[in-house]
Amino acid sequence: MRILLIEDESKIADFVERGLSDEGYAVTVADDGLKGEAEALTGEFDLILLDVLLPGKNGFEILTEIRKRTIATPVIMLTALGETEDKVRGLEGGAIDYVSKPFSFEELLARIRAQLRRPDAVSADRIEVGDLLLDLKTRRVTKGERDVDLTSREFELLAYLMRHPDQVLSRTQLLNGVWGYDYDPGTNVLEVYVGYLRKKLGNEGEEGPIDTVRGAGYRLRADD
Ligand code: CA
């Protein structure tokens, strides 16, 4: 497992690198934003740990660039304590998780393991969950043997759900993640699109793999 650590504080970088190497991970450290971005864009890492304040280019700019190139490597942002706004921005920008500084190594390791434990995420270009296969490059979706024809918004929503299999995702998370900043919080657009996806993914007489979790949000079942 290859991990890219983009962090300019050498104390933190050393501590994380040492700990992860002991755990058997191959760690590459970049101590400024530009070097880090260049490494990230190779798409050759299983996970990226990304600091926010960096010389050269900040963590959010790097994150935006990574996602623009549709590199699906999971990202964990390393934010300073109390930077709530940063956390929110990070998640909206497509980061999967964040850890607040100061963090313990165990805490970080737990988050990393949680991200890498997803056995269905086969590669950076393809996401596989149960019998669903989504190709980020060709934008083709198949369910079992069957091709599923999706509009681009349906595709984005399904990709978001597939990146978090078996996790309950809140309305806010999904609206932020798929519709971005401009959505109207009173909108029912999410419900409408979940309905479209269910129709397209469900076999006859079945609901398909997207569960409604009452009062909490939606969940894509991985075992379907
Ligand atoms: Ca920093």
Side-chain angles (χ1 to χ4, degrees), residues 7-9 51-55 101:
E7 169 63 78
D8 60 319
E9 265 166 87
D51 184 26
V52 176
L53 292 177
L54 291 160
K101 292 178 186 174

Side-chain angles (χ1 to χ4, degrees), residues 6 33-43 48 50 57-73 75 77 89-90 92-95:
I6 308 178
L34 292 169
K35 276 188 249 171
E37 183 184 75
E39 290 283 358
L41 293 179
T42 63
I48 299 170
L50 180 56
K57 201 161 191 182
N58 77 43
F60 292 121
E61 293 168 331
I62 296 171
L63 186 62
T64 304
E65 200 56 35
I66 293 172
R67 295 311 181 211
K68 238 199 312 198
R69 313 277 186 95
T70 64
I71 288 170
T73 313
V75 175
M77 303 287 292
R89 280 183 59 194
E92 283 174 351

